[in-house]
Amino acid sequence: MKKYFLLFSLIFLVLSANKSFSQCGDALLNICHGRLENARFIKSWPIQLPERARGETLPQVSFKLPLTSGNTYKIFACDATEYEGKVIISIRNQKDDLVVTSYMVEQNRHIPVIMFPVLMSGIYTFSFYFEDGKEGCAVGVVSIAD
Amino acid sequence: MKYRKTKMEIIKQKHIIMKKQKIILVILSVLLVQVITGCQQGQRQEATDLLSDSFKDNELRLNDAMIREMISSVPNPLEITSVLQKTGVVYSQDLLNPAGNINNYNTNFQRALNLGVYGTDLIYMNIYDRTVATLRYLSNIRELASDLRVEQFFDYNTLNRLSESSKNVDSVLFITNTGFDRMTRYLIDQGRSNIAILISAGTWIESLYIATHAQTTPANKEIINKRIGEQKKVLDNLLLLMNSYDHNSDFNHLIEDLKSLKKQFDNVTITYQYAEPSIKESDGMLVVVDNSRSIVDISDETIKNITREIALLRNRVIE
Amino acid sequence: MSEKILKALMQLFAIIARQDVGLSSRERDFVEGFLKQQLSEIAVSEYLNLFDDYVAHDGKSSEEKDRTEVKLTSVKDSVKTLGIAKKINRTLTQKQKVVVIVRLLELINSDKNFTPQRMAIIDTTAEVFNISRQEYKAISCFVIRDKSEELDIPEILISQSHTTSNINAHFIHTPYLDGKIIILRVQSVDLYFVKYTGKSELFINGLPLKTNRIYNFATGSVIKQPTGKPVFYTDVAAKFISDTAETNIFFKVENVDYTFSNGVKGLENINLFESSGKMVAIMGSSGSGKTTLLNVLSGIENPSNGKVIINNTNLHSEKKKVKEIIGYIPQDDLLIEELTVYENLYYSAMLVFRDQKPSHIADKVDNILTSLGLFQIKDLKVGNLMNKKISGGQRKRLNIGLELIREPSVLFVDEPTSGLSSRDSENVMELLRELTLRGKLIFVVIHQPSSEIFKMFDKVIILDEGGVQIYYGNPVEASIYFKKIDNQINSDVGECPKCGNVNPESIFNIIESQIVDEYGKSTGTRKVQPYEWAKHFESFFKPEAIKKSIPKLPETFVKQGWFRQASIYFRRDLNSKLSNKQYILLNFLEAPVLAFLLAYIIRYINDPESGVYIFRENANIMPYMFICTIVALFTGMIVSAEEIFKDRKILRRESFLNLSRSSYLLSKMSILFMISAIQALLFIWVGNNVLGIKGMYFEYWIIFFSVSALANVIGLNISSAFNSAVTIYIIIPFLIIPQMVLTGAMFSFDRINYNLGGGREKVPLIAEIMPSRWAFEALVVNQFINNDYEKYFFDLRKLESNLNFKNVYYIPELKGYIETYKSKLHAEEQNPISDKDIQLLQNEILKENNSFLAQYHQITFENTELIKPESFNHQTAKEILVYLNKLESFYRENFNKINQQIDRQISEMVNSPEKRNKYQQWYDQHYNSHLATFVKNTYAPLPLIRLGNTLVQKIDPIYLNPTSRHLLDFRTHFLAPNKNLAGRPIPTFYFNLAILWLFSVLAYIALYYDLLKKFLLLFKKREVTIQTSKKQK
């Protein structure tokens, strides 16, 4: 009995840990909201990109956002389940230097959440694209962590 | 006997007159209906005449993408108010734009600006856990948004419900911010960027006002002043946005006021020190260690001037 | 006698007495005796002194006059006489003048001194008084002569114990009378004088009758003798009149049966035959069917068998022809309490004689009042039974008077003497008796009459239980008949000869006598059963053979005079209401006081610290409008609910007159409408002012008035259909509560039961029949659209709203269907779009193609036929998307245009501080933001909903022009700015107002044809048939 219960809860956890959600579009954000936990929402962007066509560059979108020194930001994104693509976040500073990205190339791993305590106020660029240029729908969220 | 008779005659006459009047009234009302339906038609012609006018695009429009980008350079009021709260600045009700002022906002210009102002006030109250007091402000926001025809971005029922308790601050902030976000995006898509710009301007003006007028202690004064100084860049962007609307007299006044504010900001210097960040992983999250720094140089004199200027500007906005 | 006559008489007496030999002592005694008869001691000496003064005027004593002087004086006196006579002519009535002549003749008759001078003077006087020669001769004959032969003129009636040989004079036999009673009739003034020549002790109206004295013999007088029959005025008058009157009414009742609606027998086999000039009594124990018989004979009820025939016309089948000649006086009072005696009669007369001049009618009324003896109290208010102002007898007489004006040929009276003293009863019966003398046929239901009254009847019908006829014939003989059957002693003696009494009670004792057991106690069962009496009677009764040929009914023709009727009703009602001060005060205070309370309570200040009341911020304005309509309904109904009910008895009586029901109803409605109009004015004036609703008084007033007026008519309907006041007041909440619920104010139509029409596009059908809803909508829409502020912007705002709705909600919704289709198609789902959704797309695109704005954007979707399940594909979807995008950009651009236009206009108005203040004030005083929220349905859960296969706009209903599918499609959603009729838009306010009046017209039609009453009767009939079928089982 205990075994089954553990198995069941494991599956449940696995499933719930899955960061893919359905319903591309504005509604996706509401579903994604749960992942904020205690962070204070600042900004979100909808991301919808087609499949990379042969010979074309990787489709991506970028948004600018001012971050203030002294705040720690929690940044994450949610995928819509209907689409294959898994989203990758990358953050650049004013000088366009890469600060951080959510995909660990070496380990072939997506990190779901980025915590960024900012000490240089300025306008940062947030770029989003999908792994392997697959077609994808996602929403990116920036919030201030408590 | 004679007296009674004449009284009766009078009443009889009155009755006959009444009957005649009734007939006349019927005829008149039929005529009236004709006239009124005619009138109505006439008036409608006027309103719909506008439809056939070609849309005179007075504004030299920056393209939408640029506008979007520049608006997004205006920081969310949460940023600065979080700093205030974290550094222990005390809450002050007096800083807020009185809810009753909403009665004075009759034009889109006033409404948009003050939608931003009230938005900032709302966030300020929520940050300080004064959620229950926000109900009137929520209603104001709703009303202004409705007047501007952008009411569809806020789920008021949920907001009102959530605002009944301070425990739901985060949800409230979430809904509010996403609402403003979507609203801004929508306004730009709809070709009403001027409204979007004004809303953003309003939020910024109020944030700056609160930051400059909050009670600081020697402990947090430095940090806050630095944050104030950083607004220099934002103000530049705002002015850029506004300039494309300088044919509009209301905008013009605002631009002038912002320009004189900018003069004070000219005495602020910001320097950037770039350094490579390092990444850590903990608890399944990537934690960035920011080694870059921004250094803000701002004198007390400048702070005083800015405070004065923003107060004038802001009070003109909210009156 | 009045002072005037007395003075005149004294003067004339003096002149006459002075003639020839002058005043004789006998003459003086006569004058004194004459005065003593009329006046008190003091007055007697006063007038006597006056007389003496007049006589001594010349200063000469009678003996000193010589022949020539006598002649001269007589000439002088003649001139004086003429002068006095002329003066008297102006001041006295004709009747009074005749009395003067009679007294003058009596004077000179006192010492039989008929000198030519004296005669000449009286002659002259008579001439000046316009008394005809013949009458003067008759009068002088009466006064001077005593012998029967000398009195053989038609103006004289002699009553004595032996017959005369007179041809012209009339005669009444009075056995045991000593001497003669001589009665003079002066026809021109309808006066009678009596003198007695014998020695018996006679009493006239209780006063002793002196020999050779002339007395006035007035209406209702009785001369009683110690033994023998009294001489009644009516008998005397009858003698004079009976030969001249024509019989023209023949009333026949053949085998009449009557069964009540519950099956019980009311009348059984009634037969009778009567002609004009007779008074018939209907008597019987309680419950024997007297009133039923009266009702059947008068035409109020129809017999189940048999016929009632009047001059060859069947009363019941040809009621209209016969109605005019029938009169009915019920037992209850039909008087209008608030009016005076005079007014009651006057209005009734006006209704009867509606083609005559009011002055003629006034004269008639005065005559009737006099003949009823009510002239003195004519200006007293009638009052009601609780609050009597006039006595019971006077009331009864007035009731009779109301019917008498019409002079119906056949009169039915129900218990005219109940509750009256014996003196009053006699008066009333005398009145009725008099009518028969003028040729009327009168049927009187009477219970326990005195012997005197019993004897006044020509015939009596006695009924027993179950409505069986057990006697029909002469009243005195009735006693003989029953005694005979009962084998009583003295059965041959009808009445006691000396006392002149016949006892009707004894008749009933015989009829109802019960079987007595061995101990002498009554057992409760009757000796003789009703049917046994009836059988007896059948064998006894021999119907009279009809001698004369029966003439046709006299044609009655009265001009309709509708307006006049209506105005009479109107004035009567108005006077009645105006004289009831309490009523007026309450009615007209009610409205403003209520309004003040209401408005004052709900006038609140949103921001208590400012202390300033701002109209714009008052959230109670919409509820105020709701309460206005409900108050209007309520007051309208209360005012009218009892109206017809109160009048019902009067209406019953007036049903015999061919009066038009519509004139009665419309005049009633006019008064009620006047009251409603005033109440509306007061209410609105107070309420609107307190709440700061500016302008539009007329619109508020007319809606309030229209609702009130409709409620008036509905109230009249209830009043006319129900039997008791209590029922009426119970019905009222049932009429008002549904209207409150379905006005659309307390409960939104979107949130009521779907099965009853809630949550649809248009107003639920049940709410369409609620007048309150139409009124409320009219007020709300009017207040929002036409207030001084909004009317500047309304058209622009409407357009702006339409464009915004399309842009923000409508097109995105439609696009959503396409997007869903696309994504499902992409995901390769089986059924990417349902047939219903396709149908919806087609419907909506068709609507868009034909919409009002289409003429401006001219973007049409060409192939709407392709939007069908069979032909819908990816290509179709693409085309639709293109179309929708085009529409969207049109709507977006133009929305911006209009929005900016409005903004520009407002900016213009606020670009300086003074302008801004003005604007703010203007805005605050005329615009109400809560009302705006209501009419824009800002709190709608969804701005757009799907109903079946169409999309329905829920937000901004006030800005949404309704579409109509065909010419007669006038139903719209709630709070539409216009309604469509025959393709043309009509502002909601006027349309709704018209609907309210349409309701009123329909209600009036229902009222006129008494539809509610008939509807209720249907239920009663059903009940009865169910009951009888149950019984049969």
Side-chain angles (χ1 to χ4, degrees), chain C residues 253-462:
Chain C
V253 178
E254 263 179 30
N255 304 324
V256 158
D257 288 334
Y258 180 81
T259 317
F260 288 105
S261 54
N262 57 10
V264 171
K265 269 251 161 166
L267 296 171
E268 209 167 315
N269 199 18
I270 308 288
N271 288 286
L272 58 92
F273 179 78
E274 289 298 335
S275 52
S276 356
K278 299 277 169 17
M279 187 156 77
V280 180
I282 300 175
M283 297 173 67
S285 54
S286 317
S288 53
K290 306 194 288 289
T291 308
T292 316
L293 179 60
L294 204 69
N295 287 344
V296 171
L297 294 183
S298 63
I300 295 175
E301 300 280 359
N302 291 350
S304 4
N305 283 317
K307 302 187 260 192
V308 176
I309 304 173
I310 306 180
N311 288 38
N312 296 326
T313 316
N314 184 317
L315 167 64
H316 295 101
S317 59
E318 290 174 273
K319 228 177 250 180
K320 274 220 166 112
K321 279 197 200 166
V322 191
K323 259 205 306 186
E324 289 278 326
I325 63 161
I326 294 186
Y328 182 89
I329 305 176
Q331 198 174 353
D332 321 308
D333 236 307
L334 299 177
L335 309 174
I336 299 179
E337 298 159 5
E338 297 89 4
L339 297 177
T340 64
V341 170
Y342 179 88
E343 284 170 342
N344 264 288
L345 261 180
Y346 178 77
Y347 287 117
S348 206
M350 289 284 275
L351 283 171
V352 172
F353 300 115
R354 47 193 186 275
D355 51 348
Q356 289 190 29
K357 280 199 201 156
S359 46
H360 284 176
I361 293 176
D363 282 338
K364 263 206 174 80
V365 171
D366 281 333
N367 283 337
I368 294 181
L369 283 172
T370 317
S371 64
L372 291 170
L374 297 173
F375 195 80
Q376 274 70 30
I377 56 161
K378 71 181 167 84
D379 289 322
L380 278 183
K381 266 201 203 167
V382 167
N384 56 29
L385 294 164
M386 293 290 159
N387 183 19
K388 275 195 197 172
K389 301 243 167 74
I390 59 178
S391 77
Q394 290 165 330
R395 291 178 82 90
K396 268 277 183 315
R397 279 183 279 159
L398 181 56
N399 263 305
I400 294 174
L402 289 172
E403 209 51 36
L404 287 190
I405 309 173
R406 288 179 52 214
E407 312 227 353
S409 309
V410 185
L411 193 60
F412 295 90
V413 193
D414 196 352
E415 306 241 21
T417 56
S418 68
L420 296 184
S421 66
S422 50
R423 174 87 190 273
D424 278 337
S425 298
E426 271 182 39
N427 279 338
V428 169
M429 293 311 296
E430 277 290 321
L431 233 160
L432 291 175
R433 185 77 217 169
E434 218 186 312
L435 289 175
T436 58
L437 297 177
R438 292 198 260 162
K440 316 273 179 241
L441 169 60
I442 307 185
F443 289 90
V444 184
V445 167
I446 197 153
H447 192 60
Q448 298 180 327
S450 66
S451 147
E452 299 259 341
I453 293 174
F454 191 59
K455 286 192 292 180
M456 285 189 197
F457 290 101
D458 294 299
K459 291 261 181 69
V460 63
I461 305 171
I462 304 184

Side-chain angles (χ1 to χ4, degrees), chain B residues 43 53 108 110 149 190, chain C residues 795 800 807 897 899 903:
Chain B
Q43 274 194 346
D53 284 351
N108 284 348
Q110 293 168 312
R149 301 282 183 279
Q190 291 290 308
Chain C
D795 283 319
E800 185 198 24
N807 182 32
K897 234 196 275 184
N899 181 277
D903 199 48

Side-chain angles (χ1 to χ4, degrees), chain C residues 40-55:
Chain C
S40 62
E41 277 292 326
I42 311 165
V44 166
S45 50
E46 207 187 294
Y47 279 101
L48 209 52
N49 287 335
L50 200 63
F51 173 69
D52 288 334
D53 285 339
Y54 283 134
V55 169

